[in-house]
Amino acid sequence: MSTIIDPAILFFIFGVFAGLVKSNLEIPQPITRFLSLYLLMALGLKGGFALHQSGLTLAITTSLGIAIFLACVVPLVSYFFLKTKLGALDSAAIAATYGSVSAVTFITATQYLNHVQIEYGGHMAAAMALMESPAIILAIFLANRAKSSVSQTKQSLKVGKLLHESFTDGAQLLLLGAMLIGILSGPDGQKVMAPFSVDLFKGMLAFFLLDMGLMSAKSFADLKGKPRVLFLYAFIAPLCHSLLALSLCLLFQVELGNTILLMVLAASASYIAVPAVLRHALPEVSPALYMGMSLGITFPLNIIIGIPLYALIAKWALGS
């Protein structure tokens, strides 16, 4: 229950309630955009300061390797499973959504770990950044292959352009840039930036989660009339993905805090970066499909129940 009584989580629940009762409460879009960029900047700085202190160790390299592996395996497994129930393009879109990650879910998980005093590595912010793009690239490749087989014409997949868009996306670039600045500036930079990146962080997160609650409530309507398998997938897939991450962490003896965050990342689903790409890459697929699943079911599930559940499972598995 400790996560439920956290003010940031309560603001999220309040936002869902306000949306469900059709309140006119609304956060202006420019403010929402600023809040998301602020959270990524603060997270990147925190990770950079931690990496400056620890350096690049075998444990850090192992965690990053597991993150990349998960980012490749999860969308592939998701695609071939969903393809038995849905069309190839719908399957590819959902696989990209669930193979990528949610930065806000990750940030909320770091706050939960701080609250329960479980240590984790600052390099996990880099793990999050590395996990965002592979699912998009793989899913669009699979979708283009499906299109080619149907039309019997070769459609060129502009991998270079896709890679450029993925790695120069403003939010991701800000995260990596802030991390680099944190590494370069070290303890002196950490002291200077603390009022901005530490003292304001919790309040900014609470405000942002309020808006996410409002958006989640609106996304519930997008799920009307969708196949039941999508509801089951949105509930069950996060747990399955988190258990896959846990098994890898147990195999490579990853520390508790980093294990929990890898489980959270594997369980999360993108609702910002992936939809922005898919609207152009797969216009045949309705955004209501993957947005309704990720933002209407998986995101609130992870924020309210998932994060403490994954932590509990990890503690049990690691004997902590």
Side-chain angles (χ1 to χ4, degrees):
M1 288 296 290
S2 60
T3 186
I4 296 295
I5 61 173
D6 184 280
I9 303 302
L10 290 175
F11 269 107
F12 173 78
I13 295 172
F14 172 68
V16 172
F17 170 77
L20 290 176
V21 299
K22 303 187 184 305
S23 167
N24 63 356
L25 176 63
E26 184 180 9
I27 311 298
Q29 187 60 37
I31 294 178
T32 301
R33 178 64 175 166
F34 165 75
L35 289 171
S36 66
L37 293 176
Y38 164 82
L39 292 171
L40 289 171
M41 181 177 174
L43 180 66
L45 283 171
K46 183 176 181 179
F49 296 142
L51 280 173
H52 177 93
Q53 185 176 3
S54 67
L56 190 62
T57 64
L58 178 60
I60 290 174
T61 305
T62 300
S63 295
L64 296 180
I66 291 173
I68 295 171
F69 180 79
L70 287 168
C72 295
V73 170
V74 168
L76 286 174
V77 173
S78 298
Y79 173 77
F80 288 108
F81 169 76
L82 289 166
K83 199 179 173 187
T84 63
K85 310 290 183 182
L86 305 168
L89 299 188
D90 288 346
S91 299
I94 297 170
T97 303
Y98 280 81
S100 190
V101 295
S102 162
V104 179
T105 305
F106 175 80
I107 292 169
T108 306
T110 63
Q111 291 301 291
Y112 171 80
L113 293 183
N114 290 336
H115 181 68
V116 297
Q117 298 181 335
I118 296 177
E119 294 184 358
Y120 58 91
H123 66 281
M124 293 306 297
M128 182 192 73
L130 289 170
M131 290 180 74
E132 191 159 21
S133 300
I136 302 173
I137 296 168
L138 284 170
I140 292 177
F141 171 78
L142 292 168
N144 273 266
R145 192 180 70 166
K147 288 180 187 179
S148 298
S149 64
V150 170
S151 63
Q152 296 183 344
T153 59
K154 291 186 178 180
Q155 298 187 15
S156 60
L157 178 65
K158 298 178 181 177
V159 178
K161 185 174 184 295
L162 187 59
L163 284 170
H164 179 268
E165 290 180 355
S166 297
F167 288 105
T168 59
D169 172 72
Q172 180 154 291
L173 194 62
L174 175 61
L175 174 69
L176 295 174
M179 189 178 299
L180 179 60
I181 291 169
I183 292 171
L184 294 175
S185 58
D188 291 337
Q190 185 175 14
K191 184 177 180 181
V192 170
M193 295 299 293
F196 173 79
S197 61
V198 178
D199 297 344
L200 294 176
F201 190 88
K202 190 71 174 182
M204 293 287 198
L205 177 61
F207 201 8
F208 189 72
L209 285 177
L210 169 64
D211 184 60
M212 289 296 98
L214 292 167
M215 289 181 62
S216 294
K218 293 176 183 177
S219 296
F220 295 154
D222 295 335
L223 293 169
K224 290 181 179 178
K226 303 299 180 187
R228 289 185 178 181
V229 65
L230 299 183
F231 291 88
L232 292 173
Y233 184 87
F235 277 105
I236 297 173
L239 180 60
C240 294
H241 298 163
S242 71
L243 293 177
L244 173 60
L246 175 62
S247 64
L248 291 170
C249 291
L250 288 172
L251 179 63
F252 291 98
Q253 299 181 329
V254 178
E255 295 178 351
L256 175 62
N258 297 339
T259 294
I260 294 170
L261 289 180
L262 283 168
M263 291 175 70
V264 169
L265 285 169
S268 68
S270 174
Y271 56 85
I272 297 176
V274 171
V277 174
L278 293 184
R279 279 190 178 96
H280 300 288
L282 294 176
E284 303 92 339
V285 182
S286 170
L289 180 69
Y290 46 85
M291 283 288 286
M293 292 174 65
S294 63
L295 193 54
I297 297 177
T298 301
F299 180 73
L301 180 71
N302 279 329
I303 292 292
I304 299 172
I305 301 172
I307 293 172
L309 176 62
Y310 307 142
L312 184 65
I313 294 172
K315 285 180 181 179
W316 174 80
L318 294 172
S320 300

